Amino acid sequence: MEGGAALFGAHTPLQIGSSLRPIILRNKVFSQLRNRAFNPHFSTLSVRFKAFFPEQRKERNKILCGFDFYSHLNEKPPSDEDFMVVNFYRFVFIKDPEQEIANHLSFLQGRNIHGRIYVNEQGINAQYSGPSKDALAYVEWLKEDHQFSDILVQISPAFNGHAFPQLKLRYKPSLVQLEGGISHLPLLDPTMRATPLAPSEWRKKLQADNVDRASCKGDCSDSNKKLLLLDVRNGYEWDIGHFHGAQRPDVNCFRRTSFGLSESELPASDPLSGIDKERTDILMYCTGGIRCDVYSAILRQRGFQNLYTLKGGVSHYLESEGPVEWVGNLFVFDSRLSLPPSAYNGEAGTEGGTKLVSENNFARCYICGTCVNELRHRNCANLDCNLLFLCCSSCVKELRGCCCLECTSAHRLRPVLPGHQRYQKWHIYRDAKVQSKLVA
């Protein structure tokens, strides 16, 4: 989940639960559940979203939370059983998070929703998958609450059913994970966060900066920068896609992000070191927007004045502007791992999110350093390493799906996965190995 633990994180053992029962953090009997009925007038028969219907983009009458309503159009809508992934977050004061969780749990009973939905006093952060009928019904139910009526929702296709193994609906002290927590940050005050830019405004700023840099004829000093583009993600996310001009983040876990926090003037890993805090425009982006929102509050407290975030994150940008100023794919924190821009802007894309980007040579094999033609990570076959890395087909074959020679002799070694499959729980491979020995 963006800002949370990746489903297939770097050096993080897989933790995929088998139970479909929603997980609640506290053992408390909830009573007097509020039942807000789904409005039947907003049925999935009247829903359109741009990723599936690009030809209607200019004809739309109304955009509502990242998808379009077209009750008057004659084209066949998506099937109720078409799976989709839905993402949204909102910083808003919730007086009784446990009661709010109970309300959500009550509504989701009997609906086919998998994902991570976290709630606390600062708001909600959700990523989930499900058939369109259930996935969109949940959004509409939530929007009936005035606190969430204008929430920005991002939708993308799920190609092979659920993108998450189970539903986790629970209280979480931090909506995103950061060293020291975030409960002390003034996230409920919009003035203490960065100014959000619509995707079109973001594109114009980047293009204007390109013109400025070109006019410098290569003689633009870092100390006089007018704009700095800050990728507030992880290094492995940058590896498969990023905005032109964005420096690769030197972190593999958002929890340890420390841009702008160093007192030193010249640490190579901190792009904010030595810049003019009052004159430099800092443009921050992440996948869905929440990490930028959170981190902008930290930078505001550190004295940075001109902070801007990409509203709705990269996913919203690709949906609105396409891949202009963007290179590669977008890393996502679910079983799909990688999505091409076409998954968001309505062009025909490759199933599984592995569209080739042959005109770019930034993506490199972690092992041999050669260019890779598939912008999608794999996990090391050594369960106790589980490194998330890019790998060429030759190295996959030579090292049997491992990230290094040492891992090939590991005790808990999983088989090489063909294609776009993801590893299952260890006991499946362990039991299969035991069974094969018995048969032999």
Side-chain angles (χ1 to χ4, degrees):
M1 188 172 193
E2 190 190 358
L7 185 58
F8 306 101
H11 289 294
T12 304
L14 299 181
Q15 295 179 351
I16 302 178
S18 59
S19 172
L20 299 182
R21 179 178 56 83
I23 299 174
I24 298 182
L25 185 64
R26 301 179 182 179
N27 295 324
K28 178 179 179 181
V29 179
F30 301 115
S31 60
Q32 298 178 348
L33 302 183
R34 178 180 59 184
N35 244 330
R36 292 180 286 184
F38 172 56
N39 187 340
H41 297 295
F42 287 109
S43 69
T44 53
L45 294 180
S46 63
V47 172
R48 292 286 186 273
F49 44 97
K50 290 180 285 185
F52 289 177
F53 299 93
E55 68 278 5
Q56 305 299 341
R57 292 178 66 183
K58 295 182 179 179
E59 302 178 19
R60 65 186 182 271
N61 291 333
K62 183 178 181 181
I63 298 178
L64 185 58
C65 300
F67 52 85
D68 305 342
F69 288 87
Y70 287 97
S71 59
H72 65 288
L73 296 179
N74 294 322
E75 284 80 2
K76 183 180 178 181
S79 165
D80 286 354
E81 298 307 314
D82 286 340
F83 275 70
M84 61 176 62
V85 175
V86 179
N87 306 271
F88 59 81
Y89 74 95
R90 167 59 61 86
F91 292 121
V92 62
F93 177 65
I94 297 178
K95 182 178 180 180
D96 189 347
E98 290 182 338
Q99 181 62 55
E100 185 70 22
I101 292 170
N103 296 337
H104 287 243
L105 178 59
S106 177
F107 179 81
L108 290 177
Q109 289 296 328
R111 290 182 167 83
N112 189 12
I113 297 294
H114 289 189
R116 300 180 286 261
I117 304 170
Y118 301 141
V119 179
N120 67 18
E121 291 81 0
Q122 291 179 310
I124 186 171
N125 187 14
Q127 287 188 323
Y128 63 88
S129 62
S132 63
K133 180 180 180 181
D134 291 340
L136 297 177
Y138 181 37
V139 170
E140 286 306 313
W141 173 83
L142 180 66
K143 283 167 51 60
E144 291 177 7
D145 186 328
H146 70 91
Q147 294 190 107
F148 304 105
S149 60
D150 62 346
I151 197 169
L152 178 63
V153 176
Q154 299 299 314
I155 293 176
S156 56
F159 301 103
N160 299 301
H162 277 296
F164 301 91
Q166 63 179 348
L167 174 63
K168 293 183 179 181
L169 171 58
R170 69 184 189 185
Y171 179 94
K172 196 167 186 179
S174 292
L175 296 182
V176 297
Q177 297 304 302
L178 198 63
E179 289 291 346
I182 66 173
S183 60
H184 64 287
L185 296 175
L187 298 174
L188 301 182
D189 182 358
T191 65
M192 294 302 295
R193 307 198 307 266
T195 301
L197 296 178
S200 60
E201 296 174 303
W202 179 273
R203 174 179 53 80
K204 290 176 182 177
K205 273 190 172 288
L206 293 185
Q207 292 176 334
D209 184 62
N210 290 339
V211 172
D212 290 341
R213 288 179 181 275
S215 66
C216 289
K217 298 181 180 180
D219 192 28
C220 296
S221 63
D222 290 344
S223 60
N224 293 321
K225 284 182 179 178
K226 295 181 180 179
L227 182 148
L228 188 143
L229 185 58
L230 187 63
D231 191 324
V232 192
R233 301 182 301 162
N234 301 311
Y236 58 82
E237 295 178 75
W238 186 98
D239 288 341
I240 65 166
H242 50 267
F243 279 107
H244 287 288
Q247 179 177 314
R248 185 185 189 274
D250 190 25
V251 292
N252 279 323
C253 179
F254 177 66
R255 178 192 294 272
R256 292 189 288 272
T257 299
S258 59
F259 298 138
L261 304 185
S262 174
E263 299 300 330
S264 174
E265 292 293 318
L266 298 173
S269 61
D270 190 349
L272 296 184
S273 294
I275 71 167
D276 190 324
K277 295 183 178 181
E278 297 182 356
R279 299 176 56 188
T280 307
D281 288 349
I282 300 173
L283 272 63
M284 310 167 62
Y285 73 90
C286 54
T287 306
I290 189 169
R291 283 180 282 183
C292 293
D293 250 355
V294 169
Y295 208 77
S296 70
I298 296 175
L299 294 182
R300 184 76 76 193
Q301 292 180 332
R302 299 285 294 193
F304 292 90
Q305 300 297 311
N306 305 319
L307 300 171
Y308 301 90
T309 53
L310 175 55
K311 185 177 182 180
V314 180
S315 57
H316 187 39
Y317 179 90
L318 294 177
E319 177 189 36
S320 302
E321 304 298 316
V324 179
E325 299 296 331
W326 177 264
V327 56
N329 284 3
L330 178 63
F331 185 96
V332 290
F333 287 91
D334 55 58
S335 64
R336 301 170 299 171
L337 280 184
S338 174
L339 287 178
S342 59
Y344 293 97
N345 68 14
E347 300 173 1
T350 302
E351 183 172 329
T354 58
K355 182 179 178 182
L356 305 185
V357 190
S358 57
E359 66 271 24
N360 299 298
N361 61 1
F362 67 92
R364 301 282 175 171
C365 174
Y366 173 81
I367 298 170
C368 70
T370 60
C371 290
V372 295
N373 59 3
E374 186 180 53
L375 301 180
R376 181 185 174 93
H377 294 78
R378 64 169 50 241
N379 285 96
C380 179
N382 173 12
L383 177 66
D384 298 312
C385 171
N386 206 47
L387 176 70
L388 199 63
F389 68 108
L390 290 174
C391 193
C392 67
S393 57
S394 297
C395 289
V396 169
K397 182 177 180 180
E398 182 177 348
L399 295 183
R400 304 197 302 277
C402 293
C403 69
C404 63
L405 186 61
E406 182 181 356
C407 282
T408 60
S409 59
H411 176 65
R412 296 200 297 175
L413 198 62
R414 299 171 291 195
V416 180
L417 285 182
H420 311 138
Q421 299 179 35
R422 305 308 306 166
Y423 281 119
Q424 303 179 62
K425 280 195 163 186
W426 165 247
H427 71 82
I428 295 176
Y429 307 109
R430 179 198 61 199
D431 294 346
K433 186 179 296 186
V434 172
Q435 184 65 29
S436 64
K437 289 182 179 180
L438 292 176
V439 172

